Amino acid sequence: MASLNVGNLGEYLREQRRSAQLSLRQLADAAGVSNPYLSQIERGLRKPSAEVLQQVAKALRISAETLYVRAGILDERDRDELETRAVIIADPSINERQKAVLLQIYESFRKENGFEVTEGPDAAAPAAPTARADHDTTDPATAADDARRGDGGDAGPAASQPSH
């Protein structure tokens, strides 16, 4: 078999596997791939799919985006944006409204600094906040204030009364 241009990926996977103190067989089992197939990936003989890379990344407890970049599936600049978005979306300490607002602010800063905002399935974000006639949530500062309060700008009398 001719060696593909995935040697960098294979070497990186081998380093990560060894630092995790996993045998090739253990990683293959954890990732749900065959031992020979994983060996071929490490030796640069096979180019795995994004799905296989995701399974291997999960088994190694590392970023799938890092493997995508090393495999040539994802551009380095795209990875940084996707990782930032993924961290925001995965954060359990903030609610969906706060995540949406934070992502809007992040996108507005990227646009302001001349970067394109990634479109497509990998860039999926929580639904954008809706604006009310008496409360403009399209302004990032106002939206951020609403997000900190956690009320989405709907702090009316009902919101301030304790529930029984």
Side-chain angles (χ1 to χ4, degrees):
M1 261 184 254
S3 181
L4 301 172
N5 190 16
V6 290
N8 187 24
L9 170 66
E11 292 168 17
Y12 180 76
L13 280 176
R14 183 177 291 122
E15 289 171 17
Q16 293 300 310
R17 178 177 58 78
R18 288 179 176 163
S19 69
Q21 299 180 345
L22 293 172
S23 70
L24 192 63
R25 186 173 310 280
Q26 288 171 320
L27 179 56
D29 288 344
V33 298
S34 75
N35 190 37
Y37 181 61
L38 185 58
S39 174
Q40 290 173 346
I41 293 169
E42 282 193 0
R43 290 182 287 139
L45 301 175
R46 295 276 184 172
K47 183 174 182 177
S49 67
E51 183 180 325
V52 168
L53 289 175
Q54 185 175 18
Q55 292 169 228
V56 171
K58 186 176 180 181
L60 287 170
R61 295 187 174 142
I62 60 173
S63 163
E65 287 80 9
T66 300
L67 296 183
Y68 296 160
V69 169
R70 292 197 179 255
I73 295 172
L74 185 65
D75 184 83
E76 182 78 31
R77 290 171 293 161
D78 295 338
R79 181 195 73 168
D80 293 340
E81 180 186 357
L82 290 174
E83 285 184 343
T84 301
R85 291 172 148 280
V87 167
I88 292 169
I89 291 169
D91 189 336
S93 68
I94 57 177
N95 64 38
E96 293 306 310
R97 165 89 173 114
Q98 293 166 333
K99 291 174 186 180
V101 170
L102 191 52
L103 287 168
Q104 276 188 324
I105 293 168
Y106 175 67
E107 289 171 11
S108 71
F109 284 150
R110 286 183 54 82
K111 283 181 187 176
E112 184 178 311
N113 292 334
F115 291 93
E116 292 181 28
V117 176
T118 303
E119 300 292 334
D122 291 331
T130 56
R132 291 191 352 225
D134 63 335
H135 194 79
D136 183 12
T137 57
T138 59
D139 173 36
T142 303
D145 289 341
D146 290 347
R148 272 195 303 278
R149 284 196 312 271
D151 63 11
D154 296 327
S160 62
Q161 293 188 4
S163 59
H164 298 287

